[in-house]
Amino acid sequence: MTAKDRQLPDSRGYFGQFGGKFVPETLMSALYELEQAYLDAHADPGFQQQYHQLCREYSGRPTPLYPAQQLSAKIGGATILLKREDLAHTGAHKINNALGQGLLAKRMGKTRIIAETGAGQHGVAVATVCAMLSLNCIIYMGDEDIQRQSSNVFRMKLLRAEVRPVSSGSRTLKDAINETIRDWVTNIHNTYYLLGSVVGPHPYPMIVRDFQSIIGQETKEQVMTMYHRLPDYLVACVGGGSNAMGLFHPFFHEKGVKFIGVEAGGQGLETGHHAASLVAGRTGVLHGTKSQLLQDKSGQILVTHSIAPGLDYPGVGPEHSYYKDIGRATYVAVTDAQALEGFRLLCDTEGIIPALEPAHAIYYAAKLAADLPQNQLIVINLSGRGDKDLDIVAKAIGMDL
Amino acid sequence: MSRITSVFRPGYKALITYLTVGYPTLETTYEVASILANNGCDIIELGIPFSDPLADGATIQKASYQALQQGITPQLCLEVAHQLHQRIATPLVFMSYYNPILSFGLETFCQASVKAGIDGIIIPDLPPEEGAELEASTKRLKLDLIYLLAPTSTEERISLVAEKCQGFIYLVSLTGVTGARQTLPPELEDFVNRVRQMTHQPLCIGFGVSNPEQARRAGRIADGVIVGSRLIQLIEEDATFSSLKSFTLSLREALNLI
């Protein structure tokens, strides 16, 4: 990463007017300590080498950039490429960040790791890394998500993580984060909070972005090797926004590359049952950061809905709010029904079962591709595989498993 | 000197109490606030309920949730404050997470607070690093913006808070969320001494304080104690509020005996 890329966040953790550190006083010193430890690790070639070696030998990186010829042919427009994060160990991009922060926690001498999870992909990634690095692991997960992502709960338990159900509020990711923060405030002395997306107080949005940027860095090299040019569009789903930021960020200064973030339109924006914070939210503060937020007129956080548990979050990373603000990225919403179409389209054409989160991106990219000439290149971040979602999809399409 | 700072005088230990506005009903808030004011309480914190109270334990989480179910809004809390200000002379402080205030508009909220008779604001998720914008309004309108310190606060942070804080400094007794505790941490005295060496501001201890014995221990080293979750439990346990009244008196007596 060059000095130029490191300009944001600023020293106070802001991306333009978004970001910051809105947390209880008890956590402030720990955030400064984390920031210093991260910057030291980041500048240490030994740490970087260890991270990249594990990415290669343990996670199976680089993940392929796959030209989806059948999908592209069926649509009959632009050329679609899939960045295959679903092929990384544990089946999603979440491992990139879990590995990086796990190493950081170890380096800081922390022995107890806590994390939130929505879909369970981050929880599984953290449990995996903790098993490998011999760290104690506690995962907070909303009751609602435990019900709908039970296979991931079992995976976490097999990896000897303790899964603590959260029954407050909407019983999803938002509430799991509240509970993880409460644990961190209580056990601050020995505990590392391994946050899973580009959200939360500074320095988390920066740390998670940096570890996920390996997605965009690889994509850049791969597309240059294959096509001797940069892509025209990058399309990724956005819940908290880590897979999208990981893909986008290394292309920030490449002005010809357009970024499209696809949010969860749920049952339709007009119904209010969705999770499209960038498309339909307004500025607020949640979980330590100032960003776009789904809230009522009194500033209470709204209960969100998405068929994809990993997108079911009322906030979004502050850097995405900044990208929207400066017009660097466009954000759109795709409904549950459209995401299911995207899901089936990829199954049918490419023999790949995507997670419901990137199925949102697939649907949008397919529509986009249809109106573009074949020489245009669209990269979709296929951020995870769909095994975890089979129950949800079966129910949605009325199939009995 | 603000109405809050004038509470703190040599040899006197202040009793500060917290209520979630509208829990379980608005009538309860009015009635309990009067009982507190008439039985030795020096400052009343009115909690504006928030959907995601991440610094709070189970008791205040539940109270906030139910208050929101009752339709309590920041606007309604302002009206409650206004009513209470007519009825009791006790200084009133809002305790709110940052987002409801930000959503209201910082300047508008501060103006409305002053008009309602509010003397100060406590925001558990607003460290001084993020407070400049709000301070611009509170300073001009003479509202005390009360910051918090925790056992994990470094010397650098203690001096930052001492410089920015008005009214009193809220010392969080322990690393954790709000809620009644059987014991306060053994390091409490060291923590208070550490802060005392760096500032002359009044220091009040909150989080976990839930009986007269703990109040006495905290009162010996600080200028006041803050009790919240235990009062909410007593509201739940006894709808006549007579146990809440005798509990408040017992706290007052414990502090007077120091």
Side-chain angles (χ1 to χ4, degrees):
Chain A
M1 182 145 309
T2 66
K4 203 176 173 190
D5 290 323
R6 189 153 280 296
Q7 281 174 354
L8 290 178
D10 66 17
S11 60
R12 296 176 56 231
Y14 275 81
F15 306 88
Q17 57 167 314
F18 302 105
K21 277 192 191 102
F22 296 85
V23 296
E25 172 64 25
T26 310
L27 299 179
M28 288 300 286
S29 298
L31 290 174
Y32 284 112
E33 184 200 355
L34 174 62
E35 182 178 0
Q36 198 48 56
Y38 171 69
L39 293 176
D40 288 349
H42 188 80
D44 176 357
F47 180 87
Q48 292 293 342
Q49 197 236 334
Q50 193 184 12
Y51 173 66
H52 286 283
Q53 188 173 350
L54 282 171
C55 280
R56 214 167 46 242
E57 296 172 352
Y58 186 70
S59 311
R61 303 203 71 88
T63 56
L65 183 68
Y66 168 68
Q69 289 180 4
Q70 290 67 234
L71 174 62
S72 305
K74 177 155 188 189
I75 293 159
T79 302
I80 297 174
L81 309 168
L82 302 175
K83 179 59 174 165
R84 297 290 308 272
E85 291 300 297
D86 60 319
L87 294 178
H89 181 41
T90 71
H93 72 291
K94 293 290 186 189
I95 191 75
N96 305 329
N97 169 55
L99 202 50
Q101 287 199 61
L103 292 172
L104 181 61
K106 191 103 182 165
R107 183 182 163 104
M108 291 172 74
K110 305 282 183 183
T111 52
R112 181 177 181 271
I113 306 294
I114 55 172
E116 82 295 343
T117 198
Q121 290 302 107
H122 176 56
V124 167
V126 174
T128 298
V129 168
C130 286
M132 193 257 290
L133 295 175
S134 301
L135 296 164
N136 294 320
C137 178
I138 295 161
I139 305 291
Y140 288 91
M141 187 171 187
D143 273 346
E144 165 93 9
D145 290 331
I146 286 179
Q147 296 300 320
R148 55 182 175 167
Q149 304 274 256
S150 55
S151 64
N152 271 344
V153 176
F154 186 51
R155 289 167 82 194
M156 287 184 268
K157 288 181 176 170
L158 284 176
L159 294 160
R160 67 170 178 72
E162 179 188 341
V163 180
R164 292 191 182 168
V166 177
S167 57
S168 56
S170 60
R171 301 180 296 128
T172 59
L173 179 56
K174 160 180 94 80
D175 310 283
I177 295 179
N178 289 338
E179 212 50 44
T180 316
I181 292 175
R182 290 184 188 119
D183 180 315
W184 199 29
V185 170
T186 306
N187 301 294
I188 188 92
H189 296 293
N190 68 345
T191 298
Y192 184 98
Y193 181 8
L194 208 165
L195 190 48
S197 192
V198 287
V199 300
H202 178 65
Y204 283 107
M206 169 179 78
I207 292 177
V208 179
R209 174 199 70 194
D210 288 356
F211 285 129
Q212 292 294 2
S213 289
I214 195 164
I215 302 171
Q217 287 153 10
E218 287 176 7
T219 301
K220 209 176 202 177
E221 282 172 30
Q222 290 165 324
V223 78
M224 288 302 289
T225 304
M226 292 159 70
Y227 296 89
H228 311 290
R229 54 171 291 222
L230 291 169
D232 300 288
Y233 292 90
L234 305 177
V235 183
C237 62
V238 178
S242 72
N243 90 79
M245 191 50 67
L247 178 64
F248 294 171
H249 189 258
F251 292 90
F252 182 80
H253 297 290
E254 315 290 356
K255 297 298 178 204
V257 182
K258 299 177 226 14
F259 302 167
I260 298 173
V262 185
E263 294 195 300
Q267 293 165 3
L269 295 181
E270 68 289 349
T271 66
H273 300 293
H274 61 81
S277 28
L278 287 160
V279 173
R282 65 188 169 90
T283 302
V285 168
L286 177 68
H287 295 147
T289 191
K290 187 185 277 188
S291 192
Q292 294 298 105
L293 203 57
L294 293 169
Q295 54 184 318
D296 71 11
K297 59 183 189 327
S298 297
Q300 307 296 344
I301 310 307
L302 292 171
V303 173
T304 52
H305 166 82
S306 171
I307 195 171
L311 303 183
D312 209 348
Y313 181 64
V316 67
E319 198 163 10
H320 283 293
S321 291
Y322 172 67
Y323 279 13
K324 184 189 176 193
D325 212 32
I326 61 170
R328 182 63 186 91
T330 305
Y331 296 90
V332 298
V334 156
T335 65
D336 290 350
Q338 291 168 331
L340 280 167
E341 265 184 62
F343 179 93
R344 300 193 82 165
L345 180 63
L346 199 67
C347 294
D348 290 346
T349 55
E350 296 291 350
I352 297 171
I353 302 175
L356 283 169
E357 289 81 11
H360 287 71
I362 293 160
Y363 176 87
Y364 189 83
K367 290 286 168 212
L368 174 70
D371 297 328
L372 293 171
Q374 199 181 349
N375 65 2
Q376 293 276 295
L377 297 177
I378 301 176
V379 175
I380 304 175
N381 196 359
L382 186 52
S383 57
R385 67 175 185 230
D387 310 45
K388 71 182 178 67
D389 294 322
L390 299 183
D391 289 341
I392 300 176
V393 174
K395 202 173 149 195
I397 64 178
M399 196 187 278
D400 210 359
L401 280 185
Chain B
M1 190 180 265
S2 73
R3 294 221 307 154
I4 291 173
T5 46
S6 61
V7 163
F8 301 97
R9 38 187 203 274
Y12 183 76
K13 304 298 181 179
L15 175 60
I16 302 171
T17 50
Y18 167 93
L19 292 176
T20 301
V21 175
Y23 178 73
T25 63
L26 280 177
E27 290 68 36
T28 310
T29 304
Y30 289 124
E31 195 174 337
V32 170
S34 298
I35 294 172
L36 294 170
N38 294 328
N39 291 281
C41 173
D42 300 289
I43 297 170
I44 297 175
E45 288 179 21
L46 296 173
I48 299 177
F50 181 50
S51 54
D52 294 80
L54 53 76
D56 285 303
T59 306
I60 296 178
Q61 280 180 49
K62 182 179 153 209
S64 303
Y65 178 78
Q66 294 205 3
L68 289 173
Q69 297 293 107
Q70 306 277 334
I72 304 298
T73 61
Q75 182 61 49
L76 212 47
C77 293
L78 284 160
E79 287 163 28
V80 170
H82 183 70
Q83 290 288 324
L84 280 175
H85 185 61
Q86 314 288 319
R87 299 184 197 182
I88 59 177
T90 313
L92 301 173
V93 171
F94 270 144
M95 177 125 180
S96 172
Y97 287 86
Y98 192 51
N99 199 55
I101 297 179
L102 184 67
S103 170
F104 203 99
L106 300 180
E107 171 73 15
T108 322
F109 182 81
C110 290
Q111 284 175 2
S113 295
V114 169
K115 222 172 142 187
I118 287 286
D119 299 290
I121 310 182
I122 304 170
I123 305 177
D125 60 345
L126 187 77
E129 279 89 337
E130 304 290 353
E133 216 182 329
L134 183 60
E135 279 169 26
S137 298
T138 53
K139 274 196 183 136
R140 202 182 55 257
L141 294 162
K142 307 219 176 330
L143 270 173
D144 287 338
L145 181 55
I146 296 156
Y147 284 116
L148 299 90
L149 282 170
T152 52
S153 302
T154 55
E155 285 198 0
E156 199 181 354
R157 301 198 54 72
I158 294 171
S159 63
L160 178 67
V161 164
E163 180 201 334
K164 304 276 184 191
C165 188
Q166 290 156 316
F168 64 87
I169 298 178
Y170 192 132
L171 301 184
V172 177
S173 69
L174 42 79
T175 53
V177 293
T178 61
R181 306 288 203 287
Q182 290 298 318
T183 51
L184 295 177
E187 309 84 3
L188 186 61
E189 281 76 10
D190 288 346
F191 168 45
V192 178
N193 285 335
R194 217 152 48 84
V195 179
R196 189 74 85 186
Q197 280 166 16
M198 300 186 67
T199 178
H200 296 298
Q201 296 226 38
L203 307 178
C204 297
I205 297 175
F207 281 45
V209 183
S210 52
N211 63 47
E213 187 43 50
Q214 290 170 336
R216 187 157 36 235
R217 180 177 161 205
R220 276 198 199 104
I221 45 177
D223 305 296
V225 297
I226 306 163
V227 182
S229 296
R230 184 67 196 127
L231 286 175
I232 294 194
Q233 289 171 347
L234 288 171
I235 290 173
E236 291 166 353
E237 287 168 17
D238 175 6
T240 69
F241 309 128
S242 64
S243 32
L244 178 133
K245 181 179 167 182
S246 56
F247 176 70
T248 309
L249 277 171
S250 69
L251 293 173
R252 182 68 270 163
E253 279 165 23
L255 293 172
N256 286 347
L257 285 173
I258 292 168

